[in-house]
Amino acid sequence: MQRNLRGRDFLTLADFSSEEIHWLLQHALNLKRMQQEGIPHPYLQGKVLGMIFEKPSTRTRVSFEVGMIQLGGQAIFLGKQDIQLSRGESLYDTANVLSRYVDGVMIRTFSHQGLVEFARAATVPVINGLTDTHHPAQVLADLLTILEHKGRLQGLKLAYVGDGNNMAHSLLEGAVKVGMHIAVASPEGYEPDAAIVAGAEEVAKETGSQVLITHDPVEAVQEADVVVTDVWASMGQEAEQAQRETVFKPYQVNAELCQHAKSDYLFLHCLPAHRGEEVTADIIDDPHSVVFDEAENRLHAQKALLSALMR
């Protein structure tokens, strides 16, 4: 399985089979165990990852950079203003040049289509660190966290409440690939992309998953094993903050809403969270919350990706 992943791009979870995603999760669990037991695992000795950032980052930057160090390699931070993309160099030329220097590229950017174009031109693996449309690296860590705490993924129900954004899209793609049921509740006009929903529904037919898209957060959270939310205004949408606060107020994840979930539900949030907006502080700090385990697992999930694609 690892040999099949070597040299691949990681742009969306839809590009990977159920078996490949399960393998990555098991690989991440093994790498986490090795780190905890102090077992060296320098699988990427001498390898270098280039990291292009057009958006600010805490978890993405630190997890990829630390991950490369723990795997025996190195990472180079490339802010957009630090490289010639800021002066009009094409994605094609940048991808070709970087491919001559580094062994892989991770990009955190706005345009998903721009990421796709970069990957087409690059001759080394390209990893999606986040775009406006997808956040697969985060969702890989989310699935890892659920697997750790629940012991399985197949048959569990995940409820996502909030904006039909990149998190909703990657959760839709990832959940059905591992046999989870998923319900997404968003306000009218803020639903996830119809094409991505349709793709998830097709996969669900093969894996036995169920997909529900609704405007009712209670319907989505009913009997959920996992409750997930995200900020109401993502990076680049700051001008819409006030309007979105009004529209999304009924979609706040709070104690009243979570009463409809199973008694042993997990709460996830990719962070940073706006306490008191999309989620109340008592939910984040509740024993049901595993947001900091989830944040830690970015490191282990990223190490699995890096070692599988670049080894």
Side-chain angles (χ1 to χ4, degrees):
M1 184 68 69
Q2 183 170 348
R3 186 163 56 251
N4 294 337
L5 297 183
R6 188 175 295 127
R8 293 265 299 275
D9 296 325
F10 185 78
L11 306 186
T12 74
L13 286 166
D15 299 331
F16 284 71
S17 70
S18 297
E19 292 76 15
E20 288 168 340
I21 293 172
H22 280 296
W23 184 87
L24 282 168
L25 294 173
Q26 291 303 319
H27 185 35
L29 287 173
N30 189 47
L31 288 170
K32 185 173 184 176
R33 177 190 59 79
M34 294 173 73
Q35 179 183 321
Q36 292 171 338
E37 295 178 3
I39 301 173
H41 42 282
Y43 298 144
L44 297 183
Q45 188 75 41
K47 301 287 186 179
V48 179
L49 176 73
M51 305 190 304
I52 298 176
F53 284 86
E54 291 189 309
K55 289 186 175 186
S57 170
T58 299
R59 281 149 291 275
T60 298
R61 177 176 178 179
V62 175
S63 60
F64 274 104
E65 194 159 345
V66 172
M68 282 299 296
I69 293 170
Q70 291 182 355
L71 289 167
Q74 297 183 53
I76 301 175
F77 175 84
L78 302 168
K80 183 180 179 181
Q81 297 307 313
D82 301 325
I83 57 179
Q84 295 295 337
L85 279 174
S86 64
R87 299 181 63 247
E89 184 170 36
S90 71
L91 290 169
Y92 179 86
D93 290 353
T94 302
N96 269 279
V97 169
L98 288 181
S99 295
R100 308 290 182 102
Y101 296 144
V102 300
D103 303 285
V105 180
M106 188 281 298
I107 305 180
R108 184 175 172 91
T109 186
F110 291 91
S111 167
H112 188 77
Q113 184 55 40
L115 174 73
V116 172
E117 292 174 11
F118 186 100
R120 285 174 180 163
T123 57
V124 295
V126 175
I127 297 173
N128 181 358
L130 176 141
T131 66
D132 285 347
T133 314
H134 297 276
H135 200 356
Q138 174 66 55
V139 170
L140 194 65
D142 293 355
L143 296 176
L144 178 62
T145 306
I146 298 166
L147 179 60
E148 276 189 317
H149 283 270
K150 292 293 187 181
R152 66 186 176 98
L153 295 171
Q154 182 80 30
L156 296 180
K157 178 183 177 181
L158 184 149
Y160 173 86
V161 180
D163 190 18
N165 59 10
N166 48 11
M167 277 302 300
H169 294 156
S170 288
L171 283 168
L172 278 162
E173 293 178 337
V176 296
K177 283 289 178 83
V178 297
M180 295 182 72
H181 309 307
I182 181 167
V184 176
S186 302
E188 189 172 352
Y190 294 88
E191 301 91 345
D193 181 85
I196 291 174
V197 172
E201 289 173 337
E202 282 301 309
V203 174
K205 294 176 183 177
E206 302 172 5
T207 60
S209 301
Q210 298 173 4
V211 177
L212 171 67
I213 307 298
T214 179
H215 296 135
D216 183 354
V218 172
E219 182 183 19
V221 171
Q222 195 70 43
E223 290 299 300
D225 298 283
V226 185
V227 178
V228 189
T229 191
D230 192 12
V231 295
W232 290 340
S234 299
M235 286 174 281
Q237 298 173 332
E238 289 81 5
E240 304 174 26
Q241 178 68 33
Q243 175 190 350
R244 283 173 171 261
E245 285 180 12
T246 300
V247 172
F248 282 92
K249 189 174 182 180
Y251 293 81
Q252 182 186 71
V253 175
N254 51 38
E256 181 181 358
L257 179 62
C258 290
Q259 286 179 354
H260 299 279
K262 288 184 178 177
S263 60
D264 61 346
Y265 80 93
L266 300 176
F267 173 72
L268 275 68
H269 190 306
C270 62
L271 302 180
H274 295 167
R275 291 168 178 251
E277 289 184 17
E278 74 273 7
V279 59
T280 54
D282 60 319
I283 293 295
I284 285 192
D285 298 329
D286 189 87
H288 292 279
S289 173
V290 291
V291 297
F292 297 112
D293 291 346
E294 176 188 8
E296 177 191 343
N297 279 336
R298 288 295 303 275
L299 171 63
H300 309 298
Q302 259 68 286
K303 285 169 68 177
L305 264 181
L306 292 166
S307 59
L309 303 181
M310 294 171 58
R311 189 173 176 180

Short mmCIF file of all heavy atoms in Angstrom, two decimals, residues 45-80:
data_model
loop_
_atom_site.label_atom_id
_atom_site.label_comp_id
_atom_site.label_asym_id
_atom_site.label_seq_id
_atom_site.Cartn_x
_atom_site.Cartn_y
_atom_site.Cartn_z
N GLN A 45 15.07 10.88 6.11
CA GLN A 45 16.42 11.40 6.28
C GLN A 45 16.91 12.03 4.98
O GLN A 45 16.87 11.40 3.92
CB GLN A 45 17.36 10.26 6.68
CG GLN A 45 18.76 10.69 7.08
CD GLN A 45 18.78 11.31 8.47
OE1 GLN A 45 18.13 10.82 9.38
NE2 GLN A 45 19.52 12.37 8.63
N GLY A 46 17.34 13.27 5.06
CA GLY A 46 17.87 13.96 3.88
C GLY A 46 16.83 14.58 2.98
O GLY A 46 17.17 15.23 1.98
N LYS A 47 15.54 14.41 3.29
CA LYS A 47 14.47 14.97 2.47
C LYS A 47 14.12 16.38 2.95
O LYS A 47 14.24 16.70 4.13
CB LYS A 47 13.22 14.10 2.53
CG LYS A 47 13.43 12.66 2.07
CD LYS A 47 13.59 12.57 0.58
CE LYS A 47 13.63 11.11 0.13
NZ LYS A 47 13.76 10.99 -1.34
N VAL A 48 13.64 17.20 2.01
CA VAL A 48 13.27 18.58 2.33
C VAL A 48 11.86 18.86 1.81
O VAL A 48 11.54 18.55 0.66
CB VAL A 48 14.26 19.59 1.71
CG1 VAL A 48 13.83 21.03 2.02
CG2 VAL A 48 15.67 19.35 2.22
N LEU A 49 11.03 19.44 2.67
CA LEU A 49 9.68 19.86 2.31
C LEU A 49 9.63 21.37 2.19
O LEU A 49 10.02 22.09 3.11
CB LEU A 49 8.68 19.40 3.39
CG LEU A 49 7.22 19.85 3.19
CD1 LEU A 49 6.58 19.07 2.04
CD2 LEU A 49 6.42 19.69 4.48
N GLY A 50 9.18 21.86 1.04
CA GLY A 50 8.91 23.29 0.88
C GLY A 50 7.49 23.59 1.31
O GLY A 50 6.56 22.87 0.93
N MET A 51 7.28 24.65 2.10
CA MET A 51 5.95 24.98 2.61
C MET A 51 5.58 26.39 2.20
O MET A 51 6.17 27.36 2.67
CB MET A 51 5.92 24.86 4.13
CG MET A 51 6.37 23.52 4.68
SD MET A 51 6.04 23.35 6.46
CE MET A 51 6.91 24.78 7.12
N ILE A 52 4.60 26.51 1.30
CA ILE A 52 4.14 27.82 0.82
C ILE A 52 2.90 28.22 1.60
O ILE A 52 1.91 27.49 1.64
CB ILE A 52 3.82 27.77 -0.69
CG1 ILE A 52 5.08 27.41 -1.49
CG2 ILE A 52 3.25 29.10 -1.15
CD1 ILE A 52 4.83 27.26 -2.97
N PHE A 53 2.94 29.40 2.21
CA PHE A 53 1.83 29.90 3.00
C PHE A 53 1.31 31.23 2.45
O PHE A 53 2.04 32.22 2.41
CB PHE A 53 2.25 30.09 4.46
CG PHE A 53 2.35 28.81 5.23
CD1 PHE A 53 3.52 28.08 5.21
CD2 PHE A 53 1.28 28.33 5.96
CE1 PHE A 53 3.63 26.88 5.91
CE2 PHE A 53 1.37 27.14 6.67
CZ PHE A 53 2.55 26.42 6.64
N GLU A 54 0.05 31.22 2.02
CA GLU A 54 -0.63 32.46 1.66
C GLU A 54 -1.63 32.85 2.75
O GLU A 54 -2.21 33.92 2.68
CB GLU A 54 -1.36 32.30 0.33
CG GLU A 54 -0.44 32.18 -0.86
CD GLU A 54 -1.18 32.24 -2.19
OE1 GLU A 54 -2.16 31.49 -2.37
OE2 GLU A 54 -0.78 33.05 -3.04
N LYS A 55 -1.84 31.95 3.72
CA LYS A 55 -2.74 32.22 4.85
C LYS A 55 -1.96 31.97 6.14
O LYS A 55 -1.07 31.13 6.18
CB LYS A 55 -3.95 31.28 4.81
CG LYS A 55 -4.94 31.58 3.69
CD LYS A 55 -6.19 30.69 3.85
CE LYS A 55 -7.25 31.05 2.82
NZ LYS A 55 -8.52 30.31 3.05
N PRO A 56 -2.33 32.70 7.22
CA PRO A 56 -1.67 32.46 8.50
C PRO A 56 -1.93 31.05 9.01
O PRO A 56 -2.90 30.40 8.60
CB PRO A 56 -2.31 33.49 9.44
CG PRO A 56 -3.21 34.33 8.62
CD PRO A 56 -3.36 33.72 7.28
N SER A 57 -1.08 30.58 9.91
CA SER A 57 -1.22 29.20 10.37
C SER A 57 -0.52 28.99 11.70
O SER A 57 0.54 29.57 11.94
CB SER A 57 -0.63 28.24 9.34
OG SER A 57 -0.55 26.94 9.86
N THR A 58 -1.11 28.19 12.55
CA THR A 58 -0.43 27.68 13.74
C THR A 58 -0.24 26.18 13.60
O THR A 58 0.87 25.67 13.46
CB THR A 58 -1.24 27.98 15.02
OG1 THR A 58 -1.37 29.39 15.18
CG2 THR A 58 -0.52 27.41 16.25
N ARG A 59 -1.36 25.43 13.63
CA ARG A 59 -1.30 23.97 13.62
C ARG A 59 -0.70 23.40 12.34
O ARG A 59 0.10 22.47 12.38
CB ARG A 59 -2.71 23.40 13.87
CG ARG A 59 -3.13 23.44 15.34
CD ARG A 59 -4.62 23.61 15.50
NE ARG A 59 -5.05 24.94 15.09
CZ ARG A 59 -5.03 26.01 15.89
NH1 ARG A 59 -4.64 25.88 17.13
NH2 ARG A 59 -5.40 27.19 15.45
N THR A 60 -1.09 23.95 11.18
CA THR A 60 -0.57 23.42 9.92
C THR A 60 0.94 23.60 9.82
O THR A 60 1.68 22.67 9.52
CB THR A 60 -1.27 24.08 8.73
OG1 THR A 60 -2.66 23.79 8.78
CG2 THR A 60 -0.70 23.58 7.41
N ARG A 61 1.41 24.82 10.11
CA ARG A 61 2.84 25.06 9.98
C ARG A 61 3.64 24.22 10.98
O ARG A 61 4.61 23.55 10.61
CB ARG A 61 3.16 26.54 10.20
CG ARG A 61 4.67 26.79 10.14
CD ARG A 61 5.06 28.23 10.25
NE ARG A 61 6.51 28.35 10.23
CZ ARG A 61 7.17 29.50 10.30
NH1 ARG A 61 6.50 30.64 10.38
NH2 ARG A 61 8.49 29.52 10.27
N VAL A 62 3.22 24.24 12.24
CA VAL A 62 4.01 23.56 13.27
C VAL A 62 3.98 22.05 13.06
O VAL A 62 5.00 21.37 13.19
CB VAL A 62 3.50 23.94 14.67
CG1 VAL A 62 4.25 23.13 15.73
CG2 VAL A 62 3.68 25.43 14.92
N SER A 63 2.81 21.49 12.71
CA SER A 63 2.72 20.04 12.56
C SER A 63 3.56 19.54 11.39
O SER A 63 4.24 18.51 11.50
CB SER A 63 1.26 19.61 12.40
OG SER A 63 0.66 20.20 11.27
N PHE A 64 3.54 20.25 10.27
CA PHE A 64 4.34 19.82 9.12
C PHE A 64 5.84 20.02 9.39
O PHE A 64 6.66 19.17 9.05
CB PHE A 64 3.92 20.57 7.86
CG PHE A 64 2.78 19.93 7.13
CD1 PHE A 64 1.51 20.47 7.21
CD2 PHE A 64 2.96 18.79 6.37
CE1 PHE A 64 0.44 19.88 6.55
CE2 PHE A 64 1.91 18.19 5.71
CZ PHE A 64 0.64 18.74 5.79
N GLU A 65 6.19 21.15 10.01
CA GLU A 65 7.61 21.42 10.24
C GLU A 65 8.19 20.46 11.28
O GLU A 65 9.25 19.86 11.07
CB GLU A 65 7.78 22.88 10.69
CG GLU A 65 9.22 23.35 10.63
CD GLU A 65 9.34 24.87 10.57
OE1 GLU A 65 8.34 25.55 10.30
OE2 GLU A 65 10.46 25.35 10.82
N VAL A 66 7.49 20.30 12.40
CA VAL A 66 7.95 19.37 13.42
C VAL A 66 7.94 17.94 12.88
O VAL A 66 8.85 17.15 13.15
CB VAL A 66 7.09 19.49 14.69
CG1 VAL A 66 7.43 18.38 15.69
CG2 VAL A 66 7.28 20.85 15.34
N GLY A 67 6.91 17.63 12.10
CA GLY A 67 6.81 16.29 11.52
C GLY A 67 8.02 15.96 10.67
O GLY A 67 8.57 14.85 10.76
N MET A 68 8.43 16.89 9.83
CA MET A 68 9.61 16.65 8.99
C MET A 68 10.86 16.46 9.84
O MET A 68 11.70 15.59 9.55
CB MET A 68 9.81 17.81 8.01
CG MET A 68 8.89 17.79 6.81
SD MET A 68 9.10 16.31 5.76
CE MET A 68 10.78 16.50 5.17
N ILE A 69 11.00 17.24 10.89
CA ILE A 69 12.18 17.11 11.76
C ILE A 69 12.19 15.74 12.43
O ILE A 69 13.21 15.06 12.47
CB ILE A 69 12.19 18.24 12.81
CG1 ILE A 69 12.41 19.60 12.13
CG2 ILE A 69 13.28 17.98 13.86
CD1 ILE A 69 12.19 20.79 13.05
N GLN A 70 11.03 15.31 12.95
CA GLN A 70 10.96 14.02 13.63
C GLN A 70 11.18 12.86 12.66
O GLN A 70 11.62 11.78 13.07
CB GLN A 70 9.62 13.87 14.33
CG GLN A 70 9.47 14.82 15.53
CD GLN A 70 8.17 14.64 16.26
OE1 GLN A 70 7.30 13.86 15.86
NE2 GLN A 70 8.00 15.36 17.35
N LEU A 71 10.89 13.08 11.39
CA LEU A 71 11.11 12.04 10.38
C LEU A 71 12.52 12.09 9.79
O LEU A 71 12.84 11.34 8.88
CB LEU A 71 10.08 12.19 9.25
CG LEU A 71 8.63 11.82 9.62
CD1 LEU A 71 7.66 12.30 8.55
CD2 LEU A 71 8.49 10.32 9.82
N GLY A 72 13.35 13.00 10.32
CA GLY A 72 14.74 13.06 9.90
C GLY A 72 15.02 14.04 8.78
O GLY A 72 16.16 14.17 8.34
N GLY A 73 13.99 14.74 8.30
CA GLY A 73 14.17 15.69 7.22
C GLY A 73 14.13 17.13 7.70
O GLY A 73 14.29 17.42 8.89
N GLN A 74 13.89 18.04 6.77
CA GLN A 74 13.81 19.46 7.09
C GLN A 74 12.66 20.09 6.32
O GLN A 74 12.21 19.54 5.30
CB GLN A 74 15.11 20.19 6.71
CG GLN A 74 16.34 19.71 7.46
CD GLN A 74 17.56 20.52 7.10
OE1 GLN A 74 17.57 21.74 7.18
NE2 GLN A 74 18.61 19.82 6.69
N ALA A 75 12.19 21.23 6.81
CA ALA A 75 11.13 21.97 6.14
C ALA A 75 11.56 23.42 5.96
O ALA A 75 12.24 23.98 6.83
CB ALA A 75 9.83 21.90 6.93
N ILE A 76 11.17 24.01 4.84
CA ILE A 76 11.50 25.40 4.55
C ILE A 76 10.20 26.18 4.46
O ILE A 76 9.32 25.86 3.64
CB ILE A 76 12.27 25.53 3.22
CG1 ILE A 76 13.56 24.73 3.27
CG2 ILE A 76 12.56 27.00 2.92
CD1 ILE A 76 14.29 24.72 1.93
N PHE A 77 10.05 27.22 5.29
CA PHE A 77 8.87 28.08 5.26
C PHE A 77 9.02 29.11 4.15
O PHE A 77 10.01 29.83 4.08
CB PHE A 77 8.69 28.80 6.61
CG PHE A 77 7.56 29.79 6.61
CD1 PHE A 77 6.26 29.36 6.85
CD2 PHE A 77 7.79 31.14 6.39
CE1 PHE A 77 5.20 30.26 6.85
CE2 PHE A 77 6.74 32.05 6.39
CZ PHE A 77 5.45 31.61 6.63
N LEU A 78 8.01 29.18 3.27
CA LEU A 78 8.02 30.11 2.15
C LEU A 78 6.74 30.95 2.18
O LEU A 78 5.70 30.54 1.67
CB LEU A 78 8.11 29.35 0.82
CG LEU A 78 9.33 28.43 0.65
CD1 LEU A 78 9.13 27.52 -0.55
CD2 LEU A 78 10.60 29.25 0.51
N GLY A 79 6.80 32.11 2.83
CA GLY A 79 5.66 33.02 2.80
C GLY A 79 5.50 33.58 1.40
O GLY A 79 6.49 33.76 0.67
N LYS A 80 4.26 33.87 1.00
CA LYS A 80 4.03 34.35 -0.37
C LYS A 80 4.85 35.60 -0.66
O LYS A 80 5.37 35.77 -1.77
CB LYS A 80 2.55 34.63 -0.60
CG LYS A 80 2.26 35.07 -2.03
CD LYS A 80 0.80 35.36 -2.28
CE LYS A 80 0.59 35.81 -3.73
NZ LYS A 80 -0.83 36.12 -4.01
#
